[in-house]
Amino acid sequence: MVQTRSGKSLTPADAPSAADDGADAARIVALACNLLGWYGCNAFFNVLNKEALNRWPYPWAVAWLQLVTGVLIVAPLWASGLRAAPRVDAAFVAKTFGPIGLLHAVGHGAQVVSFGAGSVFMAHVIKALEPMVSVAIGVSCLGQKPSLWTNLSLVPIVGGVVFAASKPGAGLDVAGLTSLPARTALTSTVSFAFAKVLAKKQMTSKIKKDRGLDAANNYALLTCCSCCCIVVPFLLLEGGAAKAALEADAD
């Protein structure tokens, strides 16, 4: 028997085991590795994104091709049975994923436009505000009341954005906040935040289970919907010019 400070007796089965401690440590290490891997891949992607736009300055075309790549990866997996396809129909996709896909397409396209119009630094500074925007939308649209600790966790994010945007010895300059890179980065941030709120509201646990929408299938289907949505601005805004540029490079 083991006694706590309050005098309560615990059996060996109640006491935490070394195996439990090891499992917790493994989960923490796995989480840290996933976060670092995501951040590293995201930073690498942004740099390559900027390089691609410097060589081929058609952001809507680049954004569409990126989503097409995602579709070409997941479609064969579903078709071959290597990954179980989600159990959805056209009506479900249009009603549930259509609005979310549209918001995601706007967010992705605006983000790529921001990268092409300015520096990667500016886009990162604005998009660092996404947690704040998500909390504000959650409070106003879903009636969520985040805890004090959740709000306090945003303080270092805001402080980091202010520090990153400031220049030593320079006064406050808000001109950069009205530029095209800043406006499109903010549009991307707000669109992604609304997409997350809408997904949380519509995609219940029961729907995910019944439709076979685990995290991977959920994001893959969202990518397919976004690809269909973003093809319209791509063709209208840059289709002809992007094609001509490719033909000119080929010659």
Side-chain angles (χ1 to χ4, degrees), residues 100-227:
I100 303 173
L102 179 60
L103 287 169
H104 192 272
V106 172
H108 181 64
Q111 174 180 263
V112 178
V113 171
S114 178
F115 287 148
S119 66
V120 175
F121 163 79
M122 172 60 75
H124 272 296
V125 167
I126 300 298
K127 288 188 68 61
L129 297 173
E130 188 168 332
M132 292 182 59
V133 177
S134 297
V135 170
I137 293 175
V139 171
S140 59
C141 296
L142 299 181
Q144 296 176 337
K145 296 181 179 179
S147 66
L148 175 62
W149 293 110
T150 299
N151 290 325
L152 289 178
S153 68
L154 300 177
V155 173
I157 298 175
V158 178
V161 171
V162 173
F163 179 77
S166 63
K167 296 180 180 179
L172 180 62
D173 182 13
V174 297
L177 298 178
T178 60
S179 62
L180 177 61
R183 295 198 308 271
T184 50
L186 183 60
T187 300
S188 172
T189 298
V190 174
S191 297
F192 278 136
F194 268 111
K196 292 175 182 177
V197 171
L198 188 59
K200 185 176 294 185
K201 184 176 181 179
Q202 292 189 358
M203 298 299 296
T204 63
S205 299
K206 185 178 185 303
I207 290 178
K208 291 180 180 180
K209 183 178 180 180
D210 293 343
R211 298 287 184 170
L213 290 169
D214 57 11
N217 273 351
N218 191 23
Y219 195 79
L221 188 57
L222 181 59
T223 299
C224 295
C225 294
S226 301
C227 182

Side-chain angles (χ1 to χ4, degrees), residues 15-85:
S17 64
D20 292 336
D21 293 340
D24 290 340
R27 282 193 292 268
I28 293 174
V29 171
L31 177 61
C33 291
N34 285 326
L35 286 174
L36 290 174
W38 169 82
Y39 188 83
C41 291
N42 188 54
F44 191 57
F45 165 78
N46 290 337
V47 172
L48 291 179
N49 213 357
K50 182 62 177 177
E51 290 183 357
L53 290 168
N54 286 340
R55 298 181 181 182
W56 197 51
Y58 300 98
W60 287 102
V62 171
W64 178 69
L65 288 174
Q66 289 169 348
L67 294 175
V68 168
T69 302
V71 174
L72 293 178
I73 291 174
V74 70
L77 295 178
W78 286 341
S80 63
L82 292 176
R83 164 168 281 279

